[in-house]
């Protein structure tokens, strides 16, 4: 271990670079582990050029030995480790075997080399690599040297926490006390585990009190990350409910049609996204694949709107003013649509991949990462909401829809084609359901039963918010999403659903018109 420490210190204090000699390369690659680590330490102290590449090749099991040469083989070409000249791989070349101890020394050497890199990304990678290893107090010189030269504030803070995590095990009580106070500023789950371990073994009363205070501070910080994660997950669920309920707010809230096939229209949009994805993969260059979502958005809207228009013209238009009949008819339609999808695509779920720009997430805290696809759905939901609000309030179609909804006979008397308006309005609601399906394809499975998971919740959102009220739909969707996730964390998924349902039933009993009541003569009639 002492030799390994000398190696790490030497790597941080490299002087003028010298070439890696054949003798040194052989000493590092062959012999007993102690001798190999000693040779590695000496090569680092002398600053031999090519050491980093040679160490990386050893870690990748790409070094072979002959009686006269040390060769690096990458699967395609063979080069001499000392001279760098391309050569041929002899048949009798032996593989270099590295045990766990040697691999640890090689990894520490490579990380130490990267700590001196002028590139911030390489230094971050080096710190992450060191964090994975079991360090002890003897490695403090390594961290002290890195801290002395590090310029990035975030990386320096991580190195300071790593140093404190080493000092916390020091036999010096004063050092342990200072380390405990420094670790109190951390928000890493690993630090919590370390503090718990040290608290159980600590004998000094003052240090033990400082460890307990640090543990409380770390737990409080981690708890905030968990709470914020729950709120974000609830907002994500609420944005999905908002997308699903927006279309229903038009077909049910404005037109009075209890559309039990709304979930299946959402499923149509999800399958349209799946088809667009496959067309991009089969017929366009691979570099264009990440753009398939942008093409799937209008396609899913148009396909679902087209299906909705056909349904309205063939079935729904005969049932206006008869809500129970629309419920039964659309329930039958939902079964037909599900069976049609099973016949075309199969009964199993189909895979829809996230594009590269929707993969990954933003790490706000050590235990809080916001996925890009969830963030995109929240933004998309509010963009769709803004579009629907502008369409209903500012366009000719929106004026006709509001006029027909409030007084169909008077709208017909002034020249509004009520039948065409009904078709457009229902197709619009169906198209928005298709957009919801497109968004859902990026966060969950796409299958024939996709719509069944959201139809009840979407009706609850519309009823709770107030029939025909977009503002109420928004508040109800986001509120139910956050409430559901908070209750799930406290009582479990099943009890959370029951409690939300009971809350809505009690609320509707007290306020049947929902959060926002419809005003005007039509509401009083």
């Amino acid at each position: 271990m002492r030799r390994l420490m000398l190696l790490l210190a030497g790597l941080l204090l490299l002087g003028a670079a010298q070439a890696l000699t054949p003798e040194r390369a052989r000493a590092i690659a062959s012999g007993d582990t102690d001798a190999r680590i000693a040779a590695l330490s000496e090569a680092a102290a002398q600053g031999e050029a090519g050491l980093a590449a040679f160490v990386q090749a050893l870690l990748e099991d790409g070094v072979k030995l002959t009686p006269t040469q040390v060769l690096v083989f990458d699967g395609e070409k063979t080069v001499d480790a000392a001279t760098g000249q391309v050569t041929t791989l002899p048949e009798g070349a032996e593989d270099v075997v590295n045990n766990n101890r040697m691999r640890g020394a090689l990894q520490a050497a490579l990380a130490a080399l990267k700590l001196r890199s002028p590139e911030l990304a390489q230094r971050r990678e080096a710190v992450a690599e060191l964090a994975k290893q079991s360090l002890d107090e003897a490695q403090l010189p390594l961290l002290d040297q890195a801290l002395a030269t590090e310029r990035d504030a975030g990386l320096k803070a991580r190195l300071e926490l790593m140093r404190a995590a080493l000092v916390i095990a020091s036999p010096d009580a004063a050092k342990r006390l200072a380390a405990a106070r420094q670790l109190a500023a951390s928000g890493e789950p690993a630090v919590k585990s370390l503090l718990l371990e040290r608290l159980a073994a600590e004998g000094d009363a003052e240090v033990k009190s400082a460890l307990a205070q640090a543990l409380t501070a770390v737990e409080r910080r981690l708890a905030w990350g968990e709470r914020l994660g729950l709120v974000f997950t609830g907002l994500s669920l609420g944005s999905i409910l908002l997308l699903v309920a927006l279309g229903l707010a038009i077909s049910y809230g404005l037109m009075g049609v209890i559309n039990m096939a709304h979930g299946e229209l959402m499923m149509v949009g999800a399958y349209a996204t799946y088809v667009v994805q496959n067309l991009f993969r089969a017929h366009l260059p691979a570099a264009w694949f990440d753009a398939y979502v942008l093409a799937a958005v209008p396609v899913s809207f148009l396909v679902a709107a087209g299906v909705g228009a056909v349904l309205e013209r063939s079935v729904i238009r005969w049932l206006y003013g008869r809500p129970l009949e629309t419920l039964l008819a659309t329930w039958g339609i939902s079964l037909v649509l599900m069976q049609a999808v099973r016949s075309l695509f199969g009964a199993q779920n189909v895979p829809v991949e996230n594009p590269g720009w929707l993969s990954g997430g933003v790490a706000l805290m050590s235990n809080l990462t916001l996925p890009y696809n969830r963030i995109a759905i929240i933004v998309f939901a509010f963009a769709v909401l803004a579009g629907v609000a502008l369409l209903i309030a500012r366009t000719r179609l929106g004026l006709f829809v509001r006029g027909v909804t409030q007084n169909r006979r008077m709208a017909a008397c002034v020249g509004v084609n009520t039948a065409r308006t009904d078709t457009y309005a229902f197709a619009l609601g169906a198209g928005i359901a298709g957009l919801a399906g497109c968004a859902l394809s990026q966060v969950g499975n796409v299958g024939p039963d996709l719509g069944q998971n959201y139809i009840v919740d979407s009706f609850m959102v519309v009823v709770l918010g107030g029939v025909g009220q977009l503002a109420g739909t928004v508040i109800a969707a986001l509120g139910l999403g956050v409430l559901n996730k908070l209750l799930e964390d406290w009582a479990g998924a099943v009890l959370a659903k029951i409690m939300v349902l009971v809350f809505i039933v009690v609320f509707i009993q007290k306020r049947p018109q929902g959060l926002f009541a419809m005003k005007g003569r039509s509401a009083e009639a």
Side-chain angles (χ1 to χ4, degrees):
M1 180 59 70
R2 183 177 298 276
R3 288 177 177 173
L4 177 59
M5 296 308 104
L6 290 174
L7 159 68
L8 297 174
L11 285 171
L12 289 171
L13 299 171
L14 289 176
Q18 302 176 10
L20 183 65
T21 64
E23 295 78 12
R24 187 79 70 199
R26 181 170 294 277
I28 296 173
S30 63
D32 64 84
T33 303
D34 288 334
R36 292 176 66 187
I37 292 177
L40 186 59
S41 175
E42 190 173 351
Q46 296 180 5
E48 295 184 356
L51 181 61
F54 185 58
V55 170
Q56 184 65 50
L58 284 168
L59 286 171
E60 296 174 355
D61 297 325
V63 178
K64 298 182 182 294
L65 295 175
T66 70
T68 59
Q69 289 178 301
V70 179
L71 304 174
V72 176
F73 178 67
D74 64 359
E76 296 181 356
K77 66 179 181 179
T78 303
V79 298
D80 189 288
T83 65
Q85 294 179 350
V86 178
T87 182
T88 58
L89 183 65
E91 293 184 1
E94 299 179 357
D95 293 330
V96 174
V97 179
N98 300 309
N99 58 25
N100 290 337
R101 184 181 169 207
M102 189 65 201
R103 282 190 174 276
L106 292 169
Q107 289 169 350
L110 197 59
L113 284 170
K114 290 180 179 178
L115 277 177
R116 301 186 73 250
S117 170
E119 298 292 333
L120 179 60
Q122 289 192 5
R123 299 202 303 276
R124 284 176 176 167
E125 183 181 346
V127 172
E129 184 63 35
L130 286 174
K132 296 176 184 177
Q133 300 180 29
S134 298
L135 305 180
D136 57 37
E137 194 175 0
Q139 291 163 302
L140 284 175
L142 165 67
L143 297 178
D144 289 338
Q145 290 286 346
L147 281 168
T149 57
E150 184 55 55
R151 298 177 302 276
D152 182 75
L155 204 54
K156 193 164 187 175
R158 291 187 62 185
L159 287 169
E160 288 173 347
L161 287 175
M162 288 175 63
R163 187 186 187 283
L166 289 181
V167 177
I168 200 72
S170 171
D172 188 341
K175 290 183 179 180
R176 297 198 306 273
L177 182 62
R181 290 170 178 169
Q182 188 173 3
L183 288 174
S186 173
E188 298 285 339
V191 172
K192 176 184 175 181
S193 301
L194 175 66
L195 290 172
L196 285 170
E197 179 183 348
R198 293 305 309 168
L199 190 61
E202 184 57 55
D204 187 280
E206 185 179 5
V207 177
K208 195 164 189 175
S209 174
L211 287 171
Q213 293 176 8
L215 180 60
T216 301
V218 172
E219 287 179 337
R220 187 183 301 117
R221 199 168 287 108
L222 289 173
W224 271 110
E226 293 173 359
R227 294 189 192 105
L228 292 175
L230 280 175
V231 172
F232 175 78
T233 304
L235 289 175
S236 176
L237 175 61
S239 65
I240 292 173
L241 291 177
L242 174 60
L243 273 175
V244 179
L246 273 178
L248 199 62
I250 295 174
S251 60
Y252 175 56
L254 295 181
M255 303 179 67
V257 175
I258 303 177
N259 184 13
M260 295 301 294
H262 188 76
E264 280 58 51
L265 292 171
M266 182 176 64
M267 173 196 68
V268 168
Y271 273 96
T273 303
Y274 167 70
V275 171
V276 171
Q277 170 200 256
N278 290 347
L279 290 176
F280 265 67
R281 180 181 286 116
H283 300 290
L284 292 175
W288 290 22
F289 179 77
D290 285 351
Y292 87 85
V293 173
L294 302 179
V297 169
V299 170
S300 60
F301 177 85
L302 293 174
V303 172
V307 173
V310 171
L311 293 181
E312 197 280 336
R313 283 287 84 193
S314 58
V315 178
I316 305 299
R317 71 188 182 109
W318 309 105
L319 302 175
Y320 288 123
R322 298 153 64 186
L324 292 181
E325 283 84 345
T326 61
L327 185 151
L328 293 174
T330 53
W331 178 68
I333 291 170
S334 71
L335 299 179
V336 171
L337 290 176
M338 282 193 289
Q339 188 56 49
V341 165
R342 289 192 181 98
S343 300
L344 289 173
F345 300 99
Q348 302 299 320
N349 293 338
V350 296
V352 177
E353 299 180 18
N354 283 339
W357 53 278
L358 286 182
S359 301
V362 180
L364 297 183
M365 301 175 67
S366 60
N367 60 339
L368 176 61
T369 300
L370 309 184
Y372 288 137
N373 56 353
R374 295 278 182 177
I375 296 173
I377 287 179
I378 293 175
V379 174
F380 181 65
F382 280 93
V384 173
L385 171 66
V388 171
L390 287 174
L391 189 147
I392 296 296
R394 301 294 182 183
T395 66
R396 187 178 181 85
L397 174 61
L399 177 63
F400 285 174
V401 169
R402 287 183 284 120
V404 172
T405 300
Q406 293 176 12
N407 195 321
R408 175 177 295 270
R409 292 182 178 179
M410 184 58 68
C413 289
V414 297
V416 176
N417 189 329
T418 57
R420 183 184 300 170
T421 302
D422 290 336
T423 303
Y424 287 162
F426 195 86
L428 175 62
I432 296 172
L435 292 178
C438 179
L440 278 173
S441 68
Q442 302 300 307
V443 295
N445 295 323
V446 175
D449 299 325
L450 173 66
Q452 299 297 307
N453 299 325
Y454 294 94
I455 185 63
V456 175
D457 288 339
S458 60
F459 269 105
M460 287 195 299
V461 167
V462 173
V463 173
L464 179 63
V467 176
Q469 303 297 311
L470 287 181
T473 301
V474 175
I475 295 174
L478 298 180
L480 285 181
V482 173
L483 178 63
N484 195 67
K485 287 301 177 182
L486 291 177
L487 290 176
E488 278 185 13
D489 183 64
W490 176 60
V494 176
L495 282 177
K497 285 285 186 184
I498 295 174
M499 293 168 73
V500 169
L501 183 59
V502 169
F503 164 75
I504 292 176
V505 170
V506 172
F507 183 87
I508 295 301
Q509 287 287 329
K510 299 294 184 181
R511 189 178 173 86
Q513 68 271 33
L515 290 173
F516 292 86
M518 183 179 293
K519 297 179 180 180
R521 294 179 180 177
S522 59
E524 299 167 358

